[in-house]
Amino acid sequence: MVREIIQAVTSLDILLSPGEVVRLTPNELHFSNPAAYNDIYNHKNKWDKDHLLYGAFDQDTSSFGSIHYSDAKQRRDMIAPFLSRASILRMQDVIQERVNVLCDALARQFAAGDTKGKSSNLMLGFHCFGVDVIMAFCYAKNWDATKVPDFQSDIVLASKVAIRVITIRKYSRTLVKVMRHIPVWFGKNFGTPMTKAMFLFQAALMDQIDEILRNPASLENAPHKIIYHSLLDPDANKGRPLPSRLSLWHEAQALFGAGSDTIAVAATTASYHILHNPEIQQRLVNELRTAWPDLEEVPRYEVLEKLPYLTAVVKEGIRLFPGGAALPRVVPPEGATIAGTFVPGGTVVAQWFLYVLRSPTVFPDPDAFIPERWLGEDAKALEASLVSFSKGPRSCIGMNLAYCNMYLVIANIFRRFDATLDAERSGDLSVVEHFEPVFKGPHLHAYCKPVSD
Ligand code: HEM
């Protein structure tokens, strides 16, 4: 019952018909006309985020959780160089190392089966990979979620519960406050294995922050630049006081949350469609084998991102991102016109990105996985409608890292393995909407048989 109510509240957008505007709460409007997207999420609109949803995360002083544009901008300016394309190119080996660990795990799992091999839970594998990349890239920590047998990592399983709780916290500030005041020692020792895992993880992030605040020189021992080099750089802070311990912790959690599950959903979506379409898989494998003839000589990201078909597959996977929240914004006092309708100041407005990403007028045959749409003459124009990372001043700041993860993980899986769908253990891509989409049915499973050349 509770599940149905939550689903009804969070998936109401699905019910909208074309051109409709729906009042979700007394002060919140949702639009279905794809033209509304650009009216809400564009570079000129420095609108606040809605505190009802974003307050539920209790990360108010992070880039993601800041309600006001000005606060978010200060923080984004500090983080942007760390997540820039140049930085990703420089540190791509950190990501490739995590891909290698994922591939080793897939090969081990396959070998554990009988003659047919054993299939792997790709969804959990990609989620573990996402966690390991964020931990390695941002914090220089080897969390090694990917090494846990069958990808049953506590923190990954706990994240899936936590995102469901966000939906409840959205409607209960009391719950947010109660959870904020649960002491870490209590959370680490009592409760379910899931809650314990979450507290342990949060404590690990805090311990690193404490260590660095106690001894800032320890940053120099990091094997590569980490996020705290940027956040604690006096120049990047432009004379303002350095971020507090709490703010650093908010940021650490925000980057972890924003950067791990999202990549799992995108990589699962792409793999699901590749594995269901033998012709697409064959064309992808052919391109990869030509560009990557010797298995031992793994190509750099700069090479992979120039491959047209791989690029088209990655983009189509990101376009078909199966869900996620409509991102609510507050209309400024002077009001605004959205899809031809005047909306007074103070109103909360949102559009679910699937109204653009699955619009038949923007992407013909929108539910089909058609990499070719990114290879034609119209491809450049379509880019403007690829809104999976949102648009405007609060759009995704981790896009470069997300793309690098996607290229590396898809290229490595489909070049190093003869991958086939395990239809018996796999469901479809239908999701329950929380802030991030949560797959309803059995996760995507595939037999990943290593190739020898
Ligand atoms: C395929 C993967 C990803 C997708 C589809 C995605 C999508 C998005 C979207 C739609 C937003 C806007 C959220 C909002 O308005 O509240 C966002 C924001 C954000 N993303 Fe991503 N993201 C991905 C990967 C990443 C990665 C790898 C990172 C890096 C750590 C990251 C960090 C962030 C941050 C910090 C924000 C908040 C920006 C702000 O509010 O100003 N994301 N992302």
Side-chain angles (χ1 to χ4, degrees), residues 61-89:
T61 60
S62 69
S63 52
F64 167 78
S66 294
I67 296 297
H68 303 300
Y69 162 77
S70 52
D71 297 332
K73 169 142 177 40
Q74 281 183 11
R75 182 54 60 86
R76 287 175 64 107
D77 286 350
M78 277 186 248
I79 297 176
F82 181 73
L83 292 173
S84 68
R85 181 176 155 76
S87 168
I88 305 298
L89 291 181

Side-chain angles (χ1 to χ4, degrees), residues 175-411:
L175 183 61
V176 174
K177 285 186 194 145
V178 169
M179 290 182 76
R180 184 190 300 159
H181 288 106
I182 298 174
V184 171
W185 64 264
F186 182 84
K188 278 192 327 190
N189 293 296
F190 300 99
T192 66
M194 297 294 101
T195 52
K196 281 188 200 167
M198 194 49 92
F199 274 98
L200 272 169
F201 181 75
Q202 292 184 342
L205 294 179
M206 188 56 110
D207 286 349
Q208 184 181 30
I209 292 166
D210 284 340
E211 190 188 318
I212 292 169
L213 291 179
R214 244 189 335 264
N215 177 19
S218 65
L219 269 179
E220 300 322 310
N221 302 330
H224 53 75
K225 289 244 179 281
I226 62 173
I227 191 68
Y228 300 117
H229 285 99
S230 307
L231 294 172
L232 296 172
D233 174 1
D235 292 339
N237 279 280
K238 299 187 179 151
R240 293 182 297 263
L242 296 181
S244 66
R245 173 179 186 256
L246 180 66
S247 177
L248 293 172
W249 194 48
H250 282 173
E251 197 61 63
Q253 293 178 69
L255 289 172
F256 169 74
S260 46
D261 187 35
T262 43
I263 203 67
V265 174
T268 301
T269 304
S271 303
Y272 173 93
H273 290 289
I274 297 166
L275 291 167
H276 279 84
N277 291 282
E279 281 173 23
I280 291 177
Q281 183 166 355
Q282 195 54 57
R283 192 168 167 191
L284 175 66
V285 170
N286 289 348
E287 183 182 71
L288 288 169
R289 290 188 78 90
T290 308
W292 179 356
D294 180 350
L295 257 190
E296 302 302 315
E297 299 283 323
V298 182
R300 309 273 302 161
Y301 176 40
E302 295 89 321
V303 174
L304 293 176
E305 66 177 350
K306 289 199 182 75
L307 300 181
Y309 202 68
L310 174 62
T311 299
V313 163
V314 166
K315 283 192 182 153
E316 193 64 346
I318 285 172
R319 181 185 73 81
L320 283 176
F321 206 81
L327 308 166
R329 301 290 186 260
V330 183
V331 174
E334 63 276 18
T337 299
I338 299 173
T341 305
F342 181 77
V343 179
T347 311
V348 174
V349 292
Q351 180 169 52
W352 205 30
F353 61 5
L354 294 197
Y355 282 112
V356 180
L357 296 170
R358 302 289 177 99
S359 162
T361 51
V362 184
F363 295 102
D365 199 0
D367 294 332
F369 187 83
I370 309 177
E372 286 70 18
R373 69 173 93 242
W374 298 103
L375 299 172
E377 284 177 6
D378 305 339
K380 201 100 200 114
L382 278 186
E383 295 276 351
S385 300
L386 189 57
V387 297
S388 320
F389 295 100
S390 187
K391 294 274 173 183
R394 303 301 299 271
S395 64
C396 181
I397 198 170
M399 204 161 111
N400 293 307
L401 179 56
Y403 268 112
C404 183
N405 281 343
M406 280 293 281
Y407 273 89
L408 263 51
V409 85
I410 296 294

